[in-house]
Amino acid sequence: MTRQMTGAKMVVQALKDQGVDTVFGYPGGAVLPIYDEIFQQNGIRHFLVRHEQGAVHAAEGYARATGKPGVVLVTSGPGATNAVTGLTDALMDSIPIVVLTGQVPTFMIGSDAFQEADTVGITRPCTKHNWLVKDTDKLSGVIHEAFHVATSGRPGPVLVDIPKDVQFASGSYTEKAKAKVSHYQPQVKGDMETITQLVEAIENAERPIFYTGGGVINSGPGASQLLRELVEATGFPITSTLMGLGCYPASGKNWLGMLGMHGLYEANLAMHDCDLMINIGARFDDRITGRLDAFSPKSKKAHIDIDPSSINKVIKTDMPIIGDVGHVLEDVLKVWKARGRKVNREGLSKWWARIDEWRKVDCLKYKPSEKTIKPQHALDRLEALTKGRDRYICTEVGQHQMWAAQYLGFEDPNRWMTSGGLGTMGYGTPASIGVQVAHPDALVINVAGEASWLMNMQEMGTAVQYRLPVKQFILNNERLGMVRQWQELLHGERYSHSWSEALPDFVKLAEAFGAKGILCKDPADLDDAIMEMLDYDGPVIFDCLVEKHENCFPMIPSGEPHNKMLLGEASTKDAIGSKGAVMV
Amino acid sequence: MSPLKIKKGSTKHSAYNLRPTFSDVQETHTLAVLVDNEAGVLARVIGLFSGRGYNIDSLTVAEVDHEGGLSRITVVTTGTPQVIEQIKAQLGRIVPVHDVHDLTVEGGSVERELALIKVEGAGDKRVEALRLADIFRAQVVDSTLESFVFQITGTPEKVDAFADLMRPLGLAEIARTGVAALSRGI
């Protein structure tokens, strides 16, 4: 027997059947029937954000901290267009998000109605897939399919556009089990022949490295566990992209730190000089590779990725393995163990000796100051004072983001939320709210720069309303730090529009929102101030005035290979050639 | 039987893996893409090409299986081997895409295009146009005292050649369908 119900009720029922208990959203004319249904039930908690972009980032934070899809409900027109940045962000970082948008009634579509926008048209390139549902009978089936698409294969954002008359009309409800998900079934098991090739390469490699990425996190905690087992058993060094931090513990002895443009010296040089690169769930992003024709010239490359279009996109792969990281690692371990757990011990010990030499460079050292707070020092202290806690870190985008990746240690997956692919300033505050919603008792810190933070600061209202004790740790240099750094290195120190003028008093701002504000400018007060932030049971804006002209190092200048890293101020003169200057 | 009459998943062992992937040679490939016949599916395919900077030399689309709700898109594209591989992988990622076949590497294909060509003129030129049309097996589908509309079917090269010949004879307008293609054999 099929159940009859209105489209609006179907939405709520389908969400419940999908196990959704949390929705981030903002009401408006075209979603009122759904909000009416939400009002009349208790199973789903709705969090009212202050801007639709915030809703999507909050859902992203929720998804990344839980591994479950994040759900967003917004209205038509501006509600949908405001969600576009979040959708693009989720697409670039492969985050499963289901966005439900209201639409003007079907008979008004195309008439330039009030708050009408071509939502599926606008969001087509920034979603994994989207649907406009014109028939109530199909609505619940589409929602179930949407969850399937968002979470299967390489995860990503999907959008379901629901006209208002479809929400009001009655139709028959399709159960989750009966929904059509048939032909979208991405391959999860890797090709055994190539896996065996990889195992052979593992057995013989003299200078191997694991290059891991967000795909390990997306594959679930089991994949991180398998990765750790493989790393420990082989004794190979491991590095990770920004997106993959936490898949292998920062305290692990084989950990080289993050790689890439602002990655660690030892990680980048090991990538450059290795003879076997095992890419697990990363995508050879331009922040990682630097100059393509000089990228890791001496290595055989294996690439494990669930998305066939990632293979050979920019870097030629010798051993492409299409499949889910967890499944493939399981098979790699199985085959490697069955063949007698061999590695090239002699080569490996020489390799580690070289890596240890690179480690001695201590590329993250900085000149401490007694007068001003160095941003690196602030993060060092934050790390020291929060280590061992049940901690989740979000960031905005810029210098502070790179410093956070360098100076904070991540022991587990799903504890680090940052906008990697799109680089969305304004991501961190709403993301921290999503994370705190998912983990109410955990310590959630958004490491921010003052410029990024201002981009979605309205979400402090959400934090205060729902008593979400998120800590906004702002490294305030009164500059658009990363822009300023590039202008210094690339544009003759002409600092065009890269300073933050007319900044608000963040302490007063916090108080205006009903949160706590803390100002810290003296290195001597830093520890006490951080403790005050941690001890406060509620949202905090921590205004940490830091050194204004600190640059973020190490750095691979644009258009240069891994072995041409800049380690500090002395090495920056004319570092970026004219070829590199056109790159971002 | 799938309307493509090609075994599903046959791309996996096809010969293109043997070609050098990273070369600068520009190649032209004909791709057959089987998709769900649903709203917006063509926009997804075209948007992929424009968004990622790929070329479309020719594109045709029509429903081929009414009951199954499937359409077939035939797209001719040009790029380096790496770009062609990317295009195929990216097309395969689109959710309503069922199958992507590279007819250029999968054992060859037959390709045909239909064109309607209007030629205006009088006297000798008119006679010459008719004579050439006969050689090309083009049919006259409309005629006035000052004009013909020819219908010609064949490979794009044949259509090009015929159009080039008509140019000095008073070619006024041309409408082409774009390429439809099927793999040879079973």
Side-chain angles (χ1 to χ4, degrees):
Chain A
M1 196 197 98
T2 56
R3 282 188 283 168
Q4 293 288 313
M5 60 181 83
T6 65
K9 207 176 186 76
M10 249 178 220
V11 170
V12 173
Q13 187 59 46
L15 291 180
K16 283 182 179 167
D17 287 355
Q18 287 290 341
V20 173
D21 55 14
T22 304
V23 171
F24 301 92
Y26 204 100
V31 279
L32 283 177
I34 300 173
Y35 270 88
D36 199 31
E37 287 300 330
I38 286 180
F39 187 79
Q40 299 175 52
Q41 56 85 49
N42 289 317
I44 294 173
R45 289 180 308 162
H46 176 275
F47 290 85
L48 177 72
V49 293
R50 298 301 186 264
H51 185 288
E52 288 89 350
Q53 185 190 352
V56 187
H57 292 324
E60 283 186 274
Y62 180 89
R64 291 177 70 160
T66 60
K68 296 192 288 187
V71 181
V72 173
L73 176 60
V74 294
T75 193
S76 64
T81 56
N82 279 344
V84 165
T85 301
L87 286 167
T88 313
D89 191 89
L91 186 72
M92 293 287 271
D93 284 349
S94 307
I95 309 300
I97 300 286
V98 178
V99 176
L100 308 172
T101 52
Q103 182 55 279
V104 300
T106 49
F107 53 84
M108 291 178 83
I109 288 177
S111 70
D112 298 321
F114 177 64
Q115 292 197 330
E116 181 185 357
D118 176 10
T119 302
V120 285
I122 290 168
T123 60
R124 200 172 282 132
C126 62
T127 52
K128 196 174 163 190
H129 195 56
N130 62 14
W131 295 261
L132 167 64
V133 183
K134 288 180 167 175
D135 178 354
T136 308
D137 281 332
K138 292 189 176 144
L139 178 56
S140 50
V142 165
I143 294 175
H144 293 313
E145 195 186 344
F147 274 87
H148 172 73
V149 171
T151 53
S152 308
R154 181 175 178 174
V158 298
L159 181 142
V160 183
D161 199 23
I162 314 170
K164 198 172 182 183
D165 55 335
V166 172
Q167 299 170 31
F168 272 125
S170 274
S172 52
Y173 182 80
T174 308
E175 305 294 332
K176 183 184 170 190
K178 289 187 184 145
K180 167 186 154 254
V181 293
S182 51
H183 82 268
Y184 189 73
Q185 300 289 351
Q187 177 183 344
V188 292
K189 292 283 276 184
D191 174 47
M192 284 311 285
E193 217 171 288
T194 323
I195 287 175
T196 311
Q197 271 180 38
L198 169 59
V199 169
E200 276 169 29
I202 287 174
E203 290 167 349
N204 296 318
E206 292 179 359
R207 304 183 307 279
I209 188 165
F210 287 112
Y211 152 42
T212 60
V216 184
I217 313 274
N218 272 336
S219 182
S224 292
Q225 214 46 55
L226 288 163
L227 175 71
R228 290 163 190 221
E229 192 187 334
L230 185 63
V231 172
E232 300 312 323
T234 55
F236 289 2
I238 174 170
T239 179
S240 162
T241 66
L242 183 73
M243 290 297 294
L245 295 178
C247 65
Y248 182 82
S251 60
K253 67 178 170 34
N254 296 14
W255 177 240
L256 302 188
M258 180 177 77
L259 81 158
M261 185 174 267
H262 292 289
L264 270 65
Y265 186 71
E266 49 267 42
N268 283 332
L269 283 197
M271 285 287 279
H272 189 264
D273 284 353
C274 66
D275 70 346
L276 173 64
M277 178 185 296
I278 307 166
N279 174 342
I280 308 176
R283 60 182 177 92
F284 295 112
D285 179 76
D286 55 75
R287 299 294 95 164
I288 298 305
T289 57
R291 202 169 92 206
L292 284 174
D293 60 8
F295 174 71
S296 192
K298 289 163 255 178
S299 62
K300 286 260 179 220
K301 297 173 187 77
H303 189 179
I304 303 169
D305 203 301
I306 198 158
D307 179 0
S309 76
S310 287
I311 306 281
N312 285 336
K313 185 168 67 178
V314 283
I315 296 290
K316 188 175 176 335
T317 305
D318 302 288
M319 291 166 267
I321 302 172
I322 296 168
D324 169 62
V325 166
H327 284 83
V328 173
L329 285 182
E330 203 177 345
D331 285 338
V332 169
L333 268 165
K334 210 185 289 168
V335 174
W336 180 71
K337 283 178 184 167
R339 289 166 56 106
R341 298 166 168 263
K342 291 186 288 248
V343 290
N344 182 340
R345 297 263 164 237
E346 195 187 336
L348 212 49
S349 71
K350 279 189 200 155
W351 181 225
W352 272 112
R354 281 182 71 187
I355 290 172
D356 287 338
E357 285 303 309
W358 294 327
R359 277 178 164 167
K360 282 183 197 155
V361 169
D362 191 12
C363 66
L364 292 184
K365 66 171 179 275
Y366 56 91
K367 281 194 216 103
S369 160
E370 283 180 9
K371 287 198 191 111
T372 57
I373 301 175
K374 291 278 183 153
Q376 301 95 324
H377 176 65
L379 288 165
D380 261 347
R381 295 315 303 155
L382 185 71
E383 168 75 0
L385 296 171
T386 60
K387 211 177 175 68
R389 293 208 191 199
D390 182 14
R391 183 187 79 176
Y392 293 82
I393 303 284
C394 301
T395 74
E396 303 287 346
V397 169
Q399 286 181 320
H400 68 273
Q401 178 190 28
M402 294 299 110
W403 281 318
Q406 292 170 340
Y407 291 89
L408 302 180
F410 298 94
E411 297 297 310
D412 293 299
N414 304 101
R415 301 229 165 215
W416 163 248
M417 339 287 145
T418 192
S419 172
L422 193 64
T424 311
M425 292 170 72
Y427 169 87
T429 309
S432 68
I433 284 168
V435 175
Q436 191 80 73
V437 164
H439 303 287
D441 300 324
L443 170 63
V444 181
I445 303 171
N446 176 32
V447 176
E450 84 290 344
S452 279
W453 192 83
L454 288 173
M455 281 207 186
N456 268 325
M457 66 166 202
Q458 77 284 349
E459 299 305 331
M460 279 310 285
T462 311
V464 171
Q465 179 182 347
Y466 296 101
R467 300 173 193 278
L468 302 167
V470 289
K471 314 301 182 200
Q472 306 297 323
F473 191 73
I474 302 174
L475 298 174
N476 183 353
N477 60 2
E478 299 172 13
R479 301 288 184 279
L480 282 59
M482 193 61 97
V483 173
R484 196 207 60 79
Q485 177 169 344
W486 278 60
Q487 287 172 336
E488 180 183 325
L489 297 180
L490 199 62
H491 293 279
E493 301 180 45
R494 292 180 296 279
Y495 298 121
S496 182
H497 300 271
S498 57
W499 65 94
S500 307
E501 215 153 282
L503 279 173
D505 177 329
F506 284 99
V507 174
K508 280 188 187 158
L509 186 66
E511 284 159 5
F513 272 115
K516 182 180 177 66
I518 299 172
L519 174 70
C520 183
K521 53 187 170 185
D522 187 341
D525 301 336
L526 185 59
D527 275 23
D528 287 345
I530 290 176
M531 285 314 295
E532 190 186 350
M533 171 181 88
L534 298 178
D535 290 341
Y536 182 71
D537 182 22
V540 176
I541 300 175
F542 189 105
D543 184 13
C544 187
L545 298 184
V546 296
E547 168 65 46
K548 296 185 198 309
H549 294 140
E550 192 73 12
N551 281 336
C552 184
F553 291 110
M555 175 177 184
I556 303 176
S558 283
E560 295 291 349
H562 280 175
N563 58 350
K564 294 270 168 69
M565 294 189 83
L566 307 179
L567 284 169
E569 300 295 346
S571 56
T572 58
K573 201 165 165 26
D574 299 324
I576 299 178
S578 57
K579 250 185 159 176
V582 299
M583 302 170 89
V584 287
Chain B
M1 183 61 110
S2 122
L4 277 166
K5 303 214 173 179
I6 300 173
K7 266 187 250 108
K8 213 179 155 157
S10 64
T11 46
K12 188 164 173 275
H13 298 292
S14 68
Y16 62 73
N17 290 330
L18 304 174
R19 294 175 305 132
T21 317
F22 284 67
S23 107
D24 292 334
V25 186
Q26 295 281 320
E27 297 179 352
T28 297
H29 285 235
T30 305
L31 309 180
V33 188
L34 197 65
V35 300
D36 283 326
N37 184 15
E38 62 181 35
V41 66
L42 184 60
R44 287 180 210 283
V45 170
I46 295 172
L48 170 72
F49 278 80
S50 63
R52 292 186 184 265
Y54 306 143
N55 299 305
I56 297 179
D57 299 342
S58 153
L59 180 108
T60 61
V61 55
E63 192 176 60
V64 289
D65 177 358
H66 185 69
E67 272 169 34
L70 294 175
S71 288
R72 183 175 169 118
I73 297 174
T74 308
V75 54
V76 181
T77 182
T78 304
T80 62
Q82 181 201 4
V83 166
I84 302 280
E85 291 310 308
Q86 260 298 298
I87 291 172
K88 288 187 273 186
Q90 294 288 352
L91 283 170
R93 229 154 71 108
I94 298 175
V95 172
V97 167
H98 287 242
D99 256 325
V100 180
H101 288 281
D102 186 340
L103 299 178
T104 306
V105 295
E106 288 176 18
S109 60
V110 282
E111 302 188 358
R112 290 295 178 270
E113 184 176 11
L114 184 144
L116 296 173
I117 295 176
K118 185 179 282 179
V119 181
E120 296 173 0
D124 287 352
K125 284 189 172 174
R126 191 171 156 82
V127 178
E128 181 63 10
L130 257 188
R131 205 179 62 81
L132 286 168
D134 194 41
I135 293 169
F136 276 77
R137 294 176 201 207
Q139 296 161 293
V140 177
V141 290
D142 178 67
S143 174
T144 66
L145 290 174
E146 291 88 31
S147 71
F148 288 121
V149 174
F150 295 113
Q151 170 193 312
I152 182 168
T153 335
T155 61
E157 293 74 23
K158 179 182 167 182
V159 174
D160 284 344
F162 185 65
D164 285 346
L165 285 169
M166 288 301 114
R167 206 150 277 132
L169 301 176
L171 186 142
E173 247 185 295
I174 180 162
R176 299 173 72 149
T177 58
V179 172
L182 274 185
S183 61
R184 290 177 184 276
I186 320 169

Coordinates of all heavy atoms in Angstrom, one line a residue, chain A residues 2-14 17 37 136-137 139-140 166-175:
Chain A
T2 N 0.6 2.2 -0.9 CA 1.4 3.4 -0.9 C 0.8 4.4 0.0 O -0.5 4.5 0.1 CB 1.5 4.0 -2.3 OG1 0.2 4.2 -2.8 CG2 2.3 3.0 -3.2
R3 N 1.6 5.1 0.6 CA 1.1 6.2 1.5 C 0.9 7.5 0.8 O 1.8 7.9 0.0 CB 2.1 6.4 2.6 CG 2.1 5.4 3.7 CD 2.9 5.8 4.9 NE 4.3 5.5 4.6 CZ 5.3 6.0 5.3 NH1 5.1 6.8 6.4 NH2 6.6 5.7 5.0
Q4 N -0.2 8.1 1.0 CA -0.5 9.4 0.3 C -0.2 10.5 1.3 O -0.5 10.4 2.5 CB -2.0 9.5 -0.1 CG -2.4 8.6 -1.2 CD -1.9 8.9 -2.5 OE1 -1.9 10.1 -2.9 NE2 -1.3 8.0 -3.2
M5 N 0.5 11.5 0.8 CA 0.8 12.7 1.7 C 1.1 13.9 0.8 O 1.4 13.7 -0.4 CB 1.9 12.4 2.7 CG 3.2 12.0 2.1 SD 4.5 11.7 3.3 CE 4.1 9.9 3.7
T6 N 1.2 15.1 1.4 CA 1.6 16.3 0.6 C 3.1 16.2 0.3 O 3.8 15.5 1.0 CB 1.3 17.5 1.4 OG1 2.1 17.6 2.6 CG2 -0.2 17.6 1.8
G7 N 3.5 17.0 -0.6 CA 4.9 17.1 -1.0 C 5.7 17.5 0.2 O 6.8 17.0 0.5
A8 N 5.2 18.5 0.9 CA 5.9 19.1 2.1 C 6.2 18.0 3.1 O 7.3 17.9 3.7 CB 5.1 20.2 2.6
K9 N 5.1 17.2 3.4 CA 5.2 16.1 4.4 C 6.2 15.1 3.9 O 7.0 14.5 4.7 CB 3.9 15.5 4.6 CG 3.7 14.9 6.0 CD 2.3 14.4 6.2 CE 2.1 13.9 7.6 NZ 1.9 15.0 8.6
M10 N 6.2 14.8 2.6 CA 7.1 13.9 2.0 C 8.6 14.3 2.2 O 9.4 13.4 2.4 CB 6.9 13.9 0.4 CG 6.3 12.7 -0.1 SD 6.1 12.9 -1.9 CE 4.5 12.2 -2.1
V11 N 8.8 15.5 2.1 CA 10.2 16.0 2.3 C 10.7 15.6 3.7 O 11.7 15.0 3.9 CB 10.3 17.5 2.1 CG1 11.7 18.0 2.6 CG2 10.1 17.9 0.7
V12 N 9.9 15.9 4.7 CA 10.2 15.6 6.1 C 10.3 14.1 6.3 O 11.3 13.6 6.9 CB 9.2 16.2 7.0 CG1 9.5 15.8 8.5 CG2 9.3 17.7 6.9
Q13 N 9.4 13.3 5.7 CA 9.4 11.9 5.8 C 10.6 11.3 5.2 O 11.3 10.4 5.8 CB 8.1 11.3 5.2 CG 7.9 9.8 5.4 CD 7.8 9.5 6.9 OE1 7.1 10.2 7.7 NE2 8.6 8.5 7.4
A14 N 10.9 11.8 4.0 CA 12.1 11.2 3.3 C 13.4 11.5 4.0 O 14.3 10.7 4.2 CB 12.2 11.8 1.9
D17 N 13.5 9.1 6.9 CA 13.9 7.8 6.4 C 15.4 7.7 6.0 O 16.0 6.6 6.0 CB 13.0 7.4 5.2 CG 11.6 7.1 5.6 OD1 11.4 7.1 6.8 OD2 10.8 6.8 4.7
E37 N 5.6 21.9 8.0 CA 5.8 20.5 8.4 C 6.8 20.3 9.5 O 6.7 19.5 10.4 CB 6.1 19.6 7.2 CG 4.9 19.4 6.3 CD 3.7 18.7 6.9 OE1 3.9 18.0 7.9 OE2 2.6 19.0 6.5
T136 N 4.5 15.7 -7.7 CA 4.7 15.2 -6.3 C 4.9 13.7 -6.1 O 5.6 13.3 -5.2 CB 3.4 15.6 -5.5 OG1 3.1 17.0 -5.7 CG2 3.5 15.4 -4.0
D137 N 4.4 13.0 -7.0 CA 4.6 11.5 -7.0 C 6.0 11.1 -7.1 O 6.4 10.1 -6.6 CB 3.8 10.8 -8.1 CG 2.3 10.7 -7.8 OD1 2.0 10.6 -6.6 OD2 1.5 10.7 -8.7
L139 N 8.6 13.1 -6.0 CA 9.4 13.9 -5.0 C 10.2 13.0 -4.1 O 11.4 13.2 -4.0 CB 8.5 14.9 -4.3 CG 9.2 15.7 -3.2 CD1 10.4 16.5 -3.9 CD2 8.2 16.7 -2.6
S140 N 9.6 12.1 -3.4 CA 10.3 11.3 -2.4 C 11.3 10.4 -3.0 O 12.5 10.3 -2.5 CB 9.3 10.5 -1.5 OG 8.5 9.8 -2.3
V166 N 4.1 21.8 -5.9 CA 4.4 20.4 -5.6 C 4.5 20.1 -4.1 O 4.2 19.0 -3.7 CB 5.8 20.1 -6.3 CG1 6.3 18.7 -6.0 CG2 5.7 20.2 -7.8
Q167 N 4.9 21.1 -3.3 CA 4.9 20.9 -1.9 C 3.4 20.8 -1.3 O 3.2 20.1 -0.4 CB 5.6 22.1 -1.2 CG 7.0 22.2 -1.6 CD 7.6 23.6 -1.1 OE1 7.2 24.1 -0.1 NE2 8.6 24.1 -1.9
F168 N 2.5 21.6 -1.9 CA 1.1 21.5 -1.4 C 0.4 20.3 -1.9 O -0.5 19.8 -1.2 CB 0.4 22.8 -1.9 CG 0.5 24.0 -1.0 CD1 1.0 25.2 -1.5 CD2 0.2 23.9 0.3 CE1 1.2 26.3 -0.7 CE2 0.3 25.0 1.2 CZ 0.8 26.2 0.7
A169 N 0.7 19.9 -3.1 CA -0.1 18.8 -3.7 C 0.1 17.4 -3.0 O 1.1 17.3 -2.4 CB 0.2 18.6 -5.2
S170 N -0.8 16.5 -3.1 CA -0.7 15.2 -2.5 C -0.1 14.2 -3.6 O -0.4 14.4 -4.8 CB -2.0 14.7 -2.0 OG -2.2 15.1 -0.7
G171 N 0.6 13.2 -3.1 CA 1.1 12.2 -4.0 C 1.4 11.0 -3.2 O 1.3 11.0 -2.0
S172 N 1.9 10.0 -3.9 CA 2.2 8.7 -3.1 C 3.7 8.7 -2.8 O 4.6 9.1 -3.6 CB 1.8 7.5 -3.9 OG 2.4 7.6 -5.2
Y173 N 4.0 8.3 -1.6 CA 5.3 8.3 -1.0 C 6.1 7.0 -1.5 O 5.6 5.9 -1.3 CB 5.3 8.4 0.5 CG 6.6 8.4 1.1 CD1 7.3 9.6 1.2 CD2 7.2 7.3 1.7 CE1 8.6 9.7 1.8 CE2 8.5 7.3 2.2 CZ 9.2 8.6 2.3 OH 10.4 8.6 2.8
T174 N 7.3 7.2 -2.0 CA 8.1 6.1 -2.4 C 9.1 5.8 -1.2 O 9.8 6.7 -0.7 CB 9.0 6.4 -3.6 OG1 8.1 6.9 -4.6 CG2 9.7 5.3 -4.1
E175 N 9.1 4.6 -0.7 CA 9.9 4.2 0.4 C 11.4 4.2 -0.1 O 11.7 4.1 -1.3 CB 9.6 2.8 0.9 CG 8.2 2.6 1.3 CD 7.7 3.4 2.5 OE1 8.6 3.7 3.3 OE2 6.6 3.7 2.6

